[in-house]
Amino acid sequence: MLEIIVFIISLTIAAPLYIIVINSFKNQAESADLSISLPQQWNMIENYKKVFIDGDFLMAFWNTSVITVFAVVLTMIASCSAAYIIQRRQSKATKIIFYLLLAGMLLPGSIITTYQLMDALHLVRTYTGVIL
């Protein structure tokens, strides 16, 4: 029974991935249909050439990689340093900092400010608000 549940859950990942890969081989008109059928004419080389050369894919990949690496390294340094101090020192200030950090993980401040901004612009519960 567990295998059946896992198989169904894996289909939710595999099906969109299949559609993305198959549509990358189609021409523009066929891929606009978003069907799961195989392409009538395989345009694999032209499509990927357009993405890599015209779309400047490698530069986008480089930018994403640089941002991700620096963000992860800085986050690890800051969080490991804070965790070490919070764990080793037993004072009222470290308990307050611990609970503030815990509250920030449970309900990030960006969610609150984003919701307030959307509410001020009357975009809560609208399609535009969800899209933005």
Side-chain angles (χ1 to χ4, degrees):
M1 182 65 176
L2 181 63
E3 290 86 6
I4 294 171
I5 293 171
V6 171
F7 178 73
I8 291 171
I9 291 172
S10 67
L11 284 179
T12 62
I13 296 169
L17 186 62
Y18 170 79
I19 292 171
I20 289 169
V21 171
I22 291 299
N23 281 337
S24 72
F25 301 144
K26 297 178 181 179
N27 62 24
Q28 191 171 6
E30 286 180 333
S31 67
D33 292 339
L34 292 176
S35 66
I36 60 172
S37 63
L38 293 175
Q40 301 293 330
Q41 180 182 359
W42 293 78
N43 295 328
M44 187 167 54
I45 295 173
E46 294 87 17
N47 290 348
Y48 283 99
K49 180 180 168 186
K50 186 173 185 175
V51 167
F52 277 92
I53 295 173
D54 297 340
D56 207 12
F57 178 80
L58 294 177
M59 181 57 82
F61 181 76
W62 171 256
N63 291 340
T64 303
S65 300
V66 167
I67 291 169
T68 302
V69 166
F70 280 108
V72 167
V73 167
L74 290 175
T75 301
M76 285 181 60
I77 290 171
S79 59
C80 289
S81 301
Y84 183 81
I85 298 295
I86 290 171
Q87 183 61 34
R88 298 288 179 176
R89 293 187 182 166
Q90 298 297 325
S91 68
K92 190 173 182 176
T94 55
K95 286 183 181 181
I96 291 171
I97 292 171
F98 171 74
Y99 287 118
L100 284 173
L101 290 173
L102 185 64
M105 287 188 286
L106 295 175
L107 187 61
S110 62
I111 291 175
I112 296 170
T113 56
T114 302
Y115 182 81
Q116 289 174 343
L117 176 65
M118 294 294 210
D119 191 39
L121 296 173
H122 305 291
L123 294 174
V124 175
R125 295 184 193 93
T126 64
Y127 285 117
T128 307
V130 172
I131 291 168
L132 291 175

